[in-house]
Amino acid sequence: MHPKRCSRKPSKINVGILYGGRSGEHDVSLCSAASVFTALDRNKYKVTAIGIDRDGRWYVQDNPEIVSDKDFGRKMALKKSGMWLVNHFEQKNKLHLYDIKNKNKEVIIDVVIPALHGTFGEDGTLQGLLELAMVPYVGADVTGSAVGMDKDIAKRLLNQAGIPVVPSVTVNKQRWQDDSKFIMKNVLEKLCLPLFVKPVCAGSSVGVKKVKKKEELARAMNFAFQFDTRVMIEKAIDCREIECAVLGNEKPVGSILGEIIPNHEFYSYEAKYIDPNGAALKIPAQINKKLSDKIRKIAVEGYMALGCSSMARVDFFLDKKTNKFYLNEINTLPGFTSISMYPKLWESTGLKYSDLLDKLIVLAIDRHKKKLEIKTENK
């Protein structure tokens, strides 16, 4: 007789979803978190929701709850219970959270999914904390996140890589306060109207204004400076808005292309998240194959030029008159609701939402393992 073999089920991966945060995209993050939390396969993962409030405090959610919202539809609730601290020394390669008000409450995380957008979530600051904690996480690493978030630096690197970008001028707040009249004169001569004014390090079109008359420029600048210390003034292109989802670490691939058709004057924050009829998403974009293949190729090249990994949504402007395209920006933590462009592009390419999450977790763990192989001693 042969002894009975014990068939052990593989242990579940402890996944922590970080959401909320200290940015103008706090509410958007709650929506992304609700979709990610719902879609993760509970046969593979033990899922913990960790909310970060607008002051930067972390709260492990004892009983995560998805609630309805008049503006955003479904979103993850953020309940402020306990006083949670993050400790990365407790167990190597794991994130350890414990409640100092209740010593018996603690959580161990194997891999983090940051369902965060914008400042203090997408800009490399959170990624730096997770690197110090030596825990795998989804999304670009510190360098890719920081560069992708900074529209000015990203444009310079893309331009150096030979990738076309829209002409622009970047101004810091002190320069603007010292000599706004000279700056406006210089910008109007160099770029001409119409213009877009946008914070350098913000996403979801937060703080963005379109300027058609020179009298509107100062007001748009002052508005944008509420959201950042640097503002970019960019030539407005009469264009179609084309997007490509990129996925991967060393060998990234691009999805089929999609098109945003805004019903507002441009794809504003309101058009993206508040107005249910703010924009139509067309997948695949109606572009001839030769041009489509070229844009997909440039999307991957731009992704690599900025040092991205894991995932990013790469946005393009396609001039309606000339068919010339420009890489607008790279979003390293794109919206992740079930109706967001990034997962919808992959779904149309053949990778469904839950499988996409599986792939992202595998990519996070793989990148982490390779980073652990790097020597830290000069011996």
Side-chain angles (χ1 to χ4, degrees):
M1 291 180 67
H2 295 286
K4 290 183 180 180
R5 291 182 179 176
C6 296
S7 57
R8 290 185 180 179
K9 288 185 178 180
S11 58
K12 293 181 181 180
I13 298 173
N14 295 307
V15 175
I17 303 173
L18 284 177
Y19 66 100
R22 296 171 54 205
S23 87
E25 299 166 77
H26 179 98
D27 291 313
V28 180
S29 172
L30 271 56
C31 300
S32 290
S35 294
V36 173
F37 182 83
T38 303
L40 283 168
D41 187 346
R42 296 313 194 269
N43 292 316
K44 300 176 183 176
Y45 312 112
K46 180 182 177 183
V47 184
T48 302
I50 307 163
I52 303 175
D53 72 10
R54 294 180 189 273
D55 293 321
R57 298 184 184 91
W58 294 34
Y59 297 94
V60 174
Q61 305 295 294
D62 288 334
N63 296 296
E65 186 181 359
I66 296 172
V67 297
S68 60
D69 182 270
K70 63 182 178 66
D71 290 328
F72 296 94
R74 296 166 70 250
K75 69 179 185 181
M76 182 73 79
L78 202 169
K79 292 174 279 189
K80 301 179 183 182
S81 175
M83 188 178 290
W84 292 86
L85 294 181
V86 181
N87 180 7
H88 64 271
F89 298 111
E90 188 74 18
Q91 292 188 43
K92 192 175 182 181
N93 301 319
K94 295 180 186 292
L95 193 66
H96 180 224
L97 299 102
Y98 62 97
D99 185 351
I100 62 174
K101 285 187 175 181
N102 184 347
K103 298 291 177 68
N104 294 321
K105 291 173 70 174
E106 62 180 9
V107 173
I108 305 294
I109 302 297
D110 296 317
V111 60
V112 171
I113 300 179
L116 293 155
H117 311 298
T119 317
F120 306 115
E122 194 175 351
D123 60 1
T125 51
L126 173 71
Q127 289 72 19
L129 183 147
L130 296 174
E131 290 283 357
L132 288 172
M134 298 173 64
V135 62
Y137 57 92
V138 166
D141 65 9
V142 176
T143 302
S145 298
V147 172
M149 189 71 178
D150 192 305
K151 297 179 182 69
D152 181 53
I153 293 174
K155 273 197 174 189
R156 292 188 226 174
L157 289 172
L158 292 169
N159 193 46
Q160 189 178 40
I163 294 171
V165 294
V166 176
S168 64
V169 172
T170 298
V171 180
N172 66 47
K173 195 169 188 176
Q174 189 60 57
R175 276 190 61 213
W176 173 250
Q177 290 171 345
D178 290 344
D179 205 350
S180 60
K181 288 184 180 179
F182 173 79
I183 289 168
M184 287 193 291
K185 182 176 182 293
N186 182 53
V187 164
L188 291 168
E189 288 176 355
K190 184 175 181 179
L191 301 178
C192 302
L193 293 169
L195 302 165
F196 274 106
V197 175
K198 54 182 75 171
V200 168
C201 291
S204 294
S205 299
V206 170
V208 176
K209 293 285 186 185
K210 187 173 184 179
V211 174
K212 298 179 181 177
K213 302 175 182 178
K214 62 181 182 179
E215 295 81 12
E216 299 170 349
L217 181 54
R219 187 164 58 251
M221 292 289 289
N222 290 326
F223 177 70
F225 274 124
Q226 295 179 61
F227 302 96
D228 199 358
T229 59
R230 287 175 300 147
V231 165
M232 175 177 285
I233 308 121
E234 190 174 71
K235 186 177 180 63
I237 307 291
D238 184 20
C239 65
R240 297 166 64 185
E241 299 194 36
I242 308 299
E243 302 192 342
C244 180
V246 179
L247 177 70
N249 290 339
E250 291 92 347
K251 295 180 179 180
V253 292
S255 71
I256 63 172
L257 303 183
E259 181 173 4
I260 302 289
I261 306 172
N263 293 321
H264 294 219
E265 188 168 13
F266 67 96
Y267 199 31
S268 64
Y269 183 89
E270 288 74 18
K272 289 177 179 176
Y273 305 114
I274 305 298
D275 182 357
N277 302 308
L281 308 182
K282 198 168 197 176
I283 304 174
Q286 298 303 299
I287 302 173
N288 70 68
K289 186 177 186 304
K290 184 178 179 182
L291 180 57
S292 177
D293 288 346
K294 190 172 183 181
I295 292 174
R296 289 176 71 180
K297 179 174 178 288
I298 294 297
V300 172
E301 288 179 7
Y303 181 93
M304 297 183 74
L306 300 193
C308 293
S309 55
S310 185
M311 66 170 172
R313 194 192 70 236
V314 186
D315 301 345
F316 291 88
F317 291 150
L318 180 62
D319 193 301
K320 290 179 180 178
K321 294 177 183 176
T322 65
N323 249 13
K324 182 177 180 180
F325 65 85
Y326 306 87
L327 199 159
N328 175 36
E329 62 182 9
I330 292 183
N331 296 274
T332 55
L333 284 178
F336 231 85
T337 71
S338 58
I339 61 169
S340 294
M341 192 58 127
Y342 186 87
K344 283 182 75 69
L345 285 170
W346 278 118
E347 188 174 15
S348 298
T349 308
L351 188 63
K352 67 181 184 179
Y353 191 103
S354 58
D355 292 338
L356 174 59
L357 290 173
D358 289 345
K359 178 68 173 173
L360 287 168
I361 289 170
V362 169
L363 287 168
I365 293 170
D366 180 64
R367 181 181 62 194
H368 180 69
K369 285 179 179 176
K370 288 176 180 176
K371 285 195 174 187
L372 289 178
E373 294 171 1
I374 297 170
K375 290 182 68 173
T376 56
E377 294 182 63
N378 189 20
K379 291 182 181 179

